[in-house]
Amino acid sequence: MAGVTRMSWPTFLFWNALGGIAWATSIGLLGYFAGHTAEKLIHLAGLGGAAVVIIAGVVLWSVLRTRRRRAEALVEAEIEAQIEAEAEAEAR
């Protein structure tokens, strides 16, 4: 996008560096705080509780992925039906 909009390289360098710093800082802080939280959760609920949370996350991810794939298949089917209907109308 920077090339398409003909952004000057000093401006690009500034915003790219700022974005990289912000990303690295936020990921570092997230890892730091999530690590402490995960440690506390395992200590409090035990390894079984942590396993339940992880399994629930995997199941949720799987359900959402399946729903998205079904929705995409429905959209593709509708598009194909519309194309066939237009082809039939042109053939008349």
Side-chain angles (χ1 to χ4, degrees):
M1 288 305 294
V4 171
T5 60
R6 298 179 187 260
M7 180 184 291
S8 66
W9 71 267
T11 304
F12 171 76
L13 182 64
F14 171 76
W15 289 110
N16 191 40
L18 186 63
I21 291 168
W23 181 85
T25 302
S26 62
I27 294 299
L29 289 173
L30 179 66
Y32 176 77
F33 289 119
H36 285 294
T37 303
E39 183 181 353
K40 288 179 185 177
L41 175 66
I42 290 172
H43 186 280
L44 181 64
L47 192 56
V52 167
V53 169
I54 291 171
I55 290 170
V58 170
V59 168
L60 177 64
W61 173 77
S62 178
V63 166
L64 292 175
R65 188 174 127 197
T66 302
R67 293 176 86 187
R68 186 185 73 229
R69 286 186 177 179
R70 285 182 184 167
E72 288 173 355
L74 285 173
V75 168
E76 287 179 13
E78 289 178 10
I79 290 172
E80 288 177 11
Q82 185 178 8
I83 290 171
E84 288 176 8
E86 289 176 1
E88 286 178 12
E90 287 179 9
R92 292 181 193 169

